[in-house]
Amino acid sequence: MSRDDKDSIFEKVESKTNVKKDDIVKLAKSVSSKDLSDERNIRKLIKEVAKLAGKDVSKEKEEKIINAIKKDKIPKDLKNVM
């Protein structure tokens, strides 16, 4: 993936979420060191992402996200999300 492609992905995410590239990179680095099989880490991550995006996440939605992560139903490739 070229630098232009990476920048384009960040621009798309930023335009849809108002989350800055630096914040995304910081979050990605913190996620890479967390054990996502630990539900406490998943809950903390959900709260961090919600705060960055300026969104509220209901308990119901939080549970759905946790279950999806635990069942490994989250895309591994960012391009699949875009």
Side-chain angles (χ1 to χ4, degrees):
M1 181 179 284
S2 73
R3 181 175 174 90
D4 289 337
D5 290 340
K6 289 177 186 175
D7 287 340
S8 176
I9 290 171
F10 283 115
E11 288 169 6
K12 286 179 185 178
V13 171
E14 189 172 329
S15 71
K16 291 181 179 184
T17 65
N18 291 323
V19 178
K20 304 288 183 217
K21 177 183 175 181
D22 291 340
D23 293 332
I24 296 168
V25 171
K26 183 179 173 183
L27 180 64
K29 286 179 181 178
S30 78
V31 169
S32 67
S33 65
K34 290 183 181 172
D35 176 9
L36 294 183
S37 65
D38 184 338
E39 193 170 307
R40 291 174 297 189
N41 287 337
I42 298 170
R43 289 185 190 281
K44 185 176 177 183
L45 176 61
I46 292 168
K47 287 180 174 86
E48 288 174 18
V49 171
K51 183 178 177 182
L52 278 176
K55 302 286 183 179
D56 290 326
V57 177
S58 68
K59 283 292 182 188
E60 180 181 340
K61 187 173 257 184
E62 184 176 296
E63 291 301 322
K64 286 181 180 182
I65 295 168
I66 290 168
N67 288 329
I69 291 171
K70 284 181 165 182
K71 292 177 182 175
D72 203 27
K73 294 190 176 186
I74 303 299
K76 302 288 187 241
D77 188 343
L78 188 59
K79 289 185 283 186
N80 292 332
V81 178
M82 298 297 176

